[in-house]
Amino acid sequence: MENKYGRLYNFSAGPAVLPVEVLEEARDDMLNYKNSGMSVMEMSHRSKTYDNIIKTAEKDLRELMNIPDNYKVLFLQGGAHLQFSMVPINLLKNGVADYIVTGQWAKKAYVEAQKYGKINKIATSEDKTFSYIPDCSDLNISDNADYVYICENNTIYGTKFHTLPNTKGKVLVSDMSSCFLSEPIDVTKYGLIYAGVQKNVGPAGVQIVIIREDLIREDLPEWCPTMLKYKTHADNDSLYNTPPAYGIYICGLVFKWLKKNGGLEKMKELNEKKAKILYDFLDNSKLFKGTVEKNSRSLMNIPFVTGNEELDKKFIEEAKKEGLLQLKGHRTVGGMRASIYNAMPIEGVQKLVEFMSKFEKENL
Ligand SMILES: *Cc1c(COP(=O)(O)O)cnc(C)c1O
């Protein structure tokens, strides 16, 4: 697939690489979607054709993730950032929640939630620049906590919860934006899962929320905007107002692509294989090193440094000339970061490692 249409290997953390087969299908459907006489972009979200698109997308997602019937799937807008507010607005009943702060996104969610209740930081890895996931097997969970919150894969720092926290019976809420659909999960362990699709699934603008039905409340404060209630969207099958229609259509194509390619079991296998190539290289390199504790490593986002900012910069520039794009680390941490989502072919990772090896020889 390399160089098809002049496409290069794109290691962006998000918006990120999409499967070329999906883009080709979208291209073929672009001007006239399945003889409807129009593009999906031009179609009423109340039409039968669109209804079929959104219903099929939901059905395929349910199948891929094995989502039980007592969970609703919502397609929303506003990015993960809006969930930083919607989660506390909708789930705080006692007005207390416990947050585990393992990176910038969890921290932002923690700060935002404070507008709505008593929010406790029960664990953090900030002491070592978020380079590990703290032991969450026996935390001081508040007796009256409405939920425990995690960011499951920390996109910026490259860490991932490999064991879920022991919430001592409290509802678990997870921001899965950058690991959504990267491997099978047990949905029943969560009360609410959300993910911005621009990392591992589709174009920016769609937010997927999977919420257990008993957590969808009617008795929200009077001031709560209609659009910020999960109930509004659940009662209307995500069609209360105009949804991000085209983005949902692309997500649907990605779900089909995942099903065709063996589902999430197969994705996990491939993702582990891809990540191992890069981690093995980093573990043996004399120039590059990974920045994350080994047992906290993410399969999706892999940060690394040379230890010399000038050399990091040179690496990023030279990599670009080799067709290895968007390897710059997050602006808050520097260094490099390779995001290797589902749609990154194994050849891309191999090529990256070959280039790193060459760069090492030339610059050591
Ligand atoms: C990217 C990202 C966000 C922020 O997403 P927006 O769509 O920009 O609001 C939040 N959480 C995680 C884990 C992310 O990767």
Side-chain angles (χ1 to χ4, degrees), residues 229-270:
K229 297 178 183 175
Y230 291 126
K231 184 152 181 30
T232 302
H233 303 286
D235 286 352
N236 291 282
D237 297 326
S238 304
L239 291 166
Y240 172 71
N241 70 325
T242 317
Y246 193 78
I248 295 168
Y249 153 73
I250 299 286
C251 291
L253 296 185
V254 172
F255 301 154
K256 289 257 186 264
W257 177 82
L258 287 168
K259 281 173 69 179
K260 201 177 99 193
N261 286 285
L264 302 191
E265 289 288 347
K266 187 71 192 175
M267 273 305 129
K268 179 177 194 218
E269 198 185 305
L270 278 168

Coordinates of all heavy atoms in Angstrom, one line a residue, residues 229-270:
K229 N -27.7 16.8 28.2 CA -28.2 15.6 28.9 C -28.1 14.4 28.1 O -28.5 14.4 26.9 CB -29.7 15.8 29.2 CG -30.0 17.0 30.1 CD -31.5 17.2 30.3 CE -31.8 18.4 31.1 NZ -33.3 18.7 31.2
Y230 N -27.5 13.3 28.6 CA -27.4 12.1 27.9 C -28.8 11.6 27.5 O -29.0 11.0 26.4 CB -26.7 11.0 28.7 CG -25.2 11.2 28.9 CD1 -24.7 11.3 30.2 CD2 -24.4 11.5 27.8 CE1 -23.3 11.5 30.3 CE2 -23.1 11.7 28.0 CZ -22.5 11.7 29.2 OH -21.2 11.9 29.4
K231 N -29.8 11.9 28.4 CA -31.2 11.4 28.1 C -31.7 12.0 26.8 O -32.4 11.3 26.1 CB -32.1 11.8 29.3 CG -33.5 11.3 29.2 CD -34.1 11.1 30.6 CE -35.5 10.6 30.5 NZ -35.9 9.8 29.4
T232 N -31.4 13.2 26.6 CA -31.9 13.9 25.3 C -31.5 13.0 24.1 O -32.3 12.7 23.2 CB -31.3 15.3 25.2 OG1 -31.7 16.0 26.3 CG2 -31.8 16.0 23.9
H233 N -30.2 12.6 24.1 CA -29.7 11.9 22.9 C -30.1 10.5 22.9 O -30.3 9.9 21.9 CB -28.2 12.1 22.9 CG -27.8 13.6 22.9 ND1 -27.9 14.3 21.8 CD2 -27.3 14.4 23.9 CE1 -27.5 15.6 22.0 NE2 -27.2 15.6 23.3
A234 N -30.2 9.9 24.1 CA -30.6 8.5 24.2 C -32.0 8.3 23.8 O -32.3 7.4 23.0 CB -30.4 8.0 25.7
D235 N -32.9 9.2 24.2 CA -34.3 9.1 23.8 C -34.5 9.3 22.3 O -35.6 8.9 21.8 CB -35.1 10.2 24.6 CG -35.3 9.8 26.0 OD1 -34.9 8.7 26.4 OD2 -35.8 10.7 26.8
N236 N -33.6 9.9 21.7 CA -33.8 10.3 20.3 C -32.8 9.5 19.3 O -32.6 10.0 18.2 CB -33.6 11.8 20.1 CG -34.8 12.5 20.7 OD1 -35.9 12.6 20.2 ND2 -34.6 13.1 21.9
D237 N -32.2 8.5 19.8 CA -31.3 7.7 19.0 C -30.2 8.5 18.3 O -29.9 8.4 17.2 CB -32.0 6.8 17.9 CG -33.0 5.8 18.6 OD1 -32.6 5.3 19.6 OD2 -34.0 5.6 18.0
S238 N -29.7 9.5 19.1 CA -28.6 10.4 18.6 C -29.1 11.3 17.5 O -28.3 11.9 16.7 CB -27.4 9.7 18.2 OG -26.9 8.9 19.2
L239 N -30.4 11.4 17.3 CA -31.0 12.3 16.2 C -31.9 13.4 16.8 O -32.9 13.8 16.2 CB -31.7 11.4 15.2 CG -30.9 10.5 14.3 CD1 -31.7 9.5 13.6 CD2 -30.1 11.3 13.3
Y240 N -31.5 13.9 18.0 CA -32.3 14.9 18.6 C -32.2 16.2 17.7 O -33.2 16.8 17.4 CB -31.8 15.2 20.0 CG -32.5 16.5 20.6 CD1 -33.8 16.5 21.0 CD2 -31.7 17.7 20.8 CE1 -34.4 17.6 21.5 CE2 -32.3 18.8 21.3 CZ -33.7 18.8 21.7 OH -34.2 19.9 22.2
N241 N -30.9 16.5 17.4 CA -30.7 17.6 16.4 C -29.8 17.0 15.3 O -29.6 15.8 15.3 CB -30.0 18.8 17.1 CG -28.6 18.5 17.5 OD1 -28.3 17.4 17.9 ND2 -27.7 19.5 17.3
T242 N -29.4 17.8 14.4 CA -28.5 17.3 13.3 C -27.2 16.7 13.9 O -26.5 17.4 14.5 CB -28.2 18.4 12.3 OG1 -29.3 19.2 12.1 CG2 -27.7 17.8 11.0
P243 N -27.0 15.4 13.7 CA -25.8 14.8 14.2 C -24.6 15.1 13.2 O -24.8 15.6 12.1 CB -26.1 13.3 14.2 CG -27.0 13.1 13.0 CD -27.8 14.4 12.9
P244 N -23.4 14.8 13.6 CA -22.2 15.0 12.7 C -22.3 13.9 11.6 O -21.7 12.8 11.7 CB -21.0 14.8 13.6 CG -21.5 14.1 14.8 CD -22.9 14.4 14.9
A245 N -23.2 14.1 10.7 CA -23.7 13.0 9.8 C -22.6 12.3 9.0 O -22.5 11.1 8.9 CB -24.9 13.5 8.9
Y246 N -21.8 13.1 8.4 CA -20.8 12.6 7.5 C -19.7 11.8 8.3 O -19.3 10.7 7.9 CB -20.1 13.6 6.6 CG -19.3 13.0 5.5 CD1 -19.9 12.5 4.3 CD2 -17.9 12.9 5.6 CE1 -19.2 11.9 3.3 CE2 -17.2 12.3 4.6 CZ -17.8 11.8 3.5 OH -17.1 11.2 2.5
G247 N -19.4 12.4 9.4 CA -18.4 11.7 10.3 C -18.9 10.3 10.8 O -18.1 9.4 10.8
I248 N -20.1 10.3 11.1 CA -20.7 9.0 11.6 C -20.7 8.0 10.4 O -20.4 6.8 10.7 CB -22.2 9.2 12.1 CG1 -22.1 10.1 13.4 CG2 -22.8 7.9 12.4 CD1 -23.5 10.6 13.8
Y249 N -21.0 8.5 9.2 CA -20.9 7.6 8.1 C -19.5 7.0 7.9 O -19.3 5.8 7.7 CB -21.3 8.4 6.8 CG -20.8 7.9 5.5 CD1 -21.2 6.7 4.9 CD2 -19.8 8.7 4.9 CE1 -20.7 6.3 3.7 CE2 -19.2 8.3 3.7 CZ -19.7 7.1 3.1 OH -19.1 6.7 1.9
I250 N -18.5 7.8 8.0 CA -17.1 7.3 7.9 C -16.8 6.3 9.1 O -16.2 5.3 8.8 CB -16.0 8.5 8.0 CG1 -16.3 9.4 6.8 CG2 -14.6 7.9 7.9 CD1 -15.8 8.9 5.4
C251 N -17.2 6.6 10.3 CA -17.0 5.7 11.4 C -17.7 4.3 11.0 O -17.1 3.3 11.3 CB -17.7 6.2 12.7 SG -16.9 7.6 13.4
G252 N -18.8 4.4 10.4 CA -19.5 3.2 10.0 C -18.7 2.4 9.0 O -18.6 1.1 9.1
L253 N -18.0 3.1 8.1 CA -17.2 2.3 7.1 C -16.0 1.7 7.9 O -15.5 0.6 7.6 CB -16.6 3.3 6.1 CG -17.7 3.9 5.1 CD1 -16.9 4.8 4.0 CD2 -18.6 2.9 4.5
V254 N -15.5 2.4 8.9 CA -14.3 1.9 9.7 C -14.8 0.6 10.4 O -14.1 -0.4 10.5 CB -13.7 2.9 10.6 CG1 -12.7 2.3 11.5 CG2 -13.1 4.1 9.8
F255 N -16.0 0.7 11.0 CA -16.5 -0.5 11.7 C -16.6 -1.7 10.8 O -16.2 -2.8 11.1 CB -17.9 -0.3 12.3 CG -17.9 0.9 13.3 CD1 -19.1 1.6 13.5 CD2 -16.8 1.3 14.0 CE1 -19.2 2.7 14.4 CE2 -16.8 2.4 14.9 CZ -18.0 3.1 15.1
K256 N -17.0 -1.5 9.6 CA -17.1 -2.6 8.6 C -15.7 -3.1 8.2 O -15.5 -4.3 8.1 CB -17.8 -2.1 7.3 CG -19.2 -1.8 7.4 CD -20.1 -2.9 6.7 CE -21.5 -2.6 6.7 NZ -22.3 -3.2 7.8
W257 N -14.8 -2.1 8.1 CA -13.4 -2.5 7.8 C -12.8 -3.4 8.9 O -12.1 -4.4 8.7 CB -12.6 -1.2 7.6 CG -11.1 -1.4 7.4 CD1 -10.5 -1.7 6.2 CD2 -10.0 -1.3 8.3 NE1 -9.1 -1.8 6.4 CE2 -8.8 -1.5 7.7 CE3 -10.0 -1.0 9.7 CZ2 -7.6 -1.5 8.3 CZ3 -8.7 -1.0 10.4 CH2 -7.6 -1.3 9.6
L258 N -13.1 -3.0 10.2 CA -12.6 -3.8 11.3 C -13.2 -5.2 11.3 O -12.5 -6.2 11.6 CB -13.0 -3.1 12.6 CG -12.2 -1.8 13.0 CD1 -12.8 -1.0 14.1 CD2 -10.7 -2.2 13.3
K259 N -14.5 -5.2 11.0 CA -15.2 -6.6 11.0 C -14.6 -7.4 9.9 O -14.3 -8.6 10.1 CB -16.7 -6.4 10.8 CG -17.5 -6.0 12.0 CD -18.9 -5.7 11.8 CE -19.7 -6.9 11.3 NZ -21.1 -6.5 11.1
K260 N -14.4 -6.8 8.8 CA -13.8 -7.6 7.6 C -12.4 -8.1 7.9 O -11.9 -9.1 7.4 CB -13.8 -6.7 6.4 CG -13.7 -7.4 5.1 CD -13.8 -6.5 3.9 CE -12.4 -6.2 3.4 NZ -12.3 -5.1 2.4
N261 N -11.7 -7.3 8.8 CA -10.3 -7.7 9.1 C -10.1 -8.4 10.4 O -9.0 -8.4 11.0 CB -9.4 -6.4 9.0 CG -9.2 -5.9 7.6 OD1 -8.4 -6.5 6.9 ND2 -9.9 -4.9 7.2
G262 N -11.1 -9.1 10.8 CA -11.0 -10.0 11.9 C -11.4 -9.5 13.3 O -11.2 -10.1 14.3
G263 N -12.0 -8.3 13.3 CA -12.5 -7.7 14.6 C -11.4 -7.3 15.5 O -10.2 -7.2 15.2
L264 N -11.8 -7.1 16.8 CA -10.9 -6.5 17.8 C -9.8 -7.5 18.3 O -8.7 -7.1 18.6 CB -11.6 -5.9 18.9 CG -12.7 -4.8 18.6 CD1 -13.2 -4.1 19.8 CD2 -12.1 -3.8 17.6
E265 N -10.1 -8.8 18.3 CA -9.1 -9.8 18.6 C -7.9 -9.7 17.7 O -6.7 -9.6 18.1 CB -9.6 -11.2 18.5 CG -10.6 -11.6 19.6 CD -10.0 -11.8 21.0 OE1 -8.8 -11.9 21.1 OE2 -10.8 -11.8 21.9
K266 N -8.2 -9.6 16.4 CA -7.2 -9.5 15.4 C -6.4 -8.2 15.5 O -5.2 -8.1 15.3 CB -7.8 -9.7 14.0 CG -6.9 -9.8 12.9 CD -6.1 -11.1 12.9 CE -5.0 -11.1 11.9 NZ -4.2 -12.4 12.0
M267 N -7.2 -7.1 15.8 CA -6.6 -5.8 15.9 C -5.5 -5.8 17.0 O -4.4 -5.3 16.9 CB -7.6 -4.7 16.2 CG -8.3 -4.1 15.0 SD -7.1 -3.5 13.8 CE -7.6 -4.3 12.3
K268 N -5.9 -6.4 18.1 CA -5.0 -6.5 19.3 C -3.7 -7.2 18.9 O -2.6 -6.7 19.2 CB -5.7 -7.2 20.4 CG -4.9 -7.4 21.6 CD -5.6 -8.0 22.8 CE -4.7 -7.8 24.0 NZ -4.7 -8.9 25.0
E269 N -3.9 -8.3 18.2 CA -2.7 -9.1 17.8 C -1.8 -8.3 16.9 O -0.6 -8.2 17.1 CB -3.3 -10.3 17.0 CG -2.4 -11.5 16.9 CD -3.1 -12.5 16.0 OE1 -4.2 -12.9 16.3 OE2 -2.5 -12.8 14.9
L270 N -2.4 -7.6 16.0 CA -1.6 -6.7 15.1 C -1.0 -5.6 15.8 O 0.2 -5.2 15.6 CB -2.5 -6.2 13.9 CG -2.8 -7.1 12.8 CD1 -3.9 -6.6 11.9 CD2 -1.5 -7.3 12.0

